[in-house]
Amino acid sequence: MMELVSGTSERFQKVLAQIELYAPHPWPALILGETGVGKELIAKKLHELSSRSSMPFIPVNCSAIPAGLFESELFGYEKGAFSGAISPSKGLARMAHGGTLFLDELGELDINLQAKLLRLIDSGEVRAVGSQKVEHINTRVIAATNVDLYAA
């Protein structure tokens, strides 16, 4: 993977050094940058250099999932939770248990959904749509956006 994340500029070398410094830690990460700069490659490198590297890396393009479906896609759902839910779904966050959940284009996500996501980041809690049961998962969340979050 390192061959895909390389560059010679002094600024990029600093980015690579930050990746190597930050990767071993379990903390969530936020990657900021313009479209096309390789934010997902950086997230993958953070995962590969972590103790979670043998576990799943689950990328999620937040802007590609309609707001009405995002919660069920991320947290899963129970059979019968809504029309068409004929069998339960684990959800992407639980699929990332033990590994890394990469949320690309987080800035495009509705603010109400960001609040629900905070519970996962803060306490590792997930609750499938239609369930009363709260589960605890162990996943590192890495998010990326090209949106100036401070201005938004």
Side-chain angles (χ1 to χ4, degrees), residues 29-31 43 57-62 70 74 92 100-107 109 117 120-121 140-145:
L30 177 62
I31 302 167
F57 175 87
I58 306 292
V60 180
N61 183 344
C62 296
F70 188 82
L74 191 64
L92 297 167
T100 301
L101 180 67
F102 174 59
L103 301 171
D104 197 12
E105 300 305 339
L106 181 72
L109 193 59
L117 186 58
L120 168 63
I121 295 169
R140 181 181 193 184
V141 176
I142 299 176
T145 186

Side-chain angles (χ1 to χ4, degrees):
M1 180 64 185
M2 191 57 159
E3 64 277 3
L4 296 177
V5 180
S6 64
T8 57
S9 74
E10 183 180 330
R11 188 172 182 185
F12 193 73
Q13 291 303 311
K14 287 180 181 179
V15 169
L16 292 176
Q18 287 178 325
I19 292 170
E20 290 179 13
L21 179 68
Y22 196 75
H25 300 285
W27 310 312
L30 177 62
I31 302 167
L32 303 173
E34 298 173 13
T35 300
V37 298
K39 294 181 292 292
E40 185 169 349
L41 292 175
I42 290 171
K44 283 180 182 177
K45 193 65 186 170
L46 283 167
H47 174 74
E48 289 174 3
L49 293 175
S50 77
S51 61
R52 299 173 182 271
S53 62
S54 65
M55 299 305 284
F57 175 87
I58 306 292
V60 180
N61 183 344
C62 296
S63 65
I65 302 173
L69 298 177
F70 188 82
E71 185 175 4
S72 61
E73 285 289 316
L74 191 64
F75 301 120
Y77 53 85
E78 295 296 318
K79 178 180 177 180
F82 50 83
S83 184
I86 57 174
S87 62
S89 170
K90 190 173 185 177
L92 297 167
R94 287 191 281 173
M95 288 173 58
H97 179 67
T100 301
L101 180 67
F102 174 59
L103 301 171
D104 197 12
E105 300 305 339
L106 181 72
E108 303 298 325
L109 193 59
D110 178 82
I111 193 74
N112 294 320
L113 294 171
Q114 289 182 28
K116 292 180 180 186
L117 186 58
L118 181 59
R119 188 155 220 51
L120 168 63
I121 295 169
D122 189 44
S123 64
E125 291 182 359
V126 295
R127 186 176 58 84
V129 174
S131 174
Q132 299 301 315
K133 181 182 173 190
V134 174
E135 293 182 52
H136 292 272
I137 62 169
N138 177 4
T139 186
R140 181 181 193 184
V141 176
I142 299 176
T145 186
N146 63 356
V147 173
D148 182 346
L149 297 177
Y150 297 108

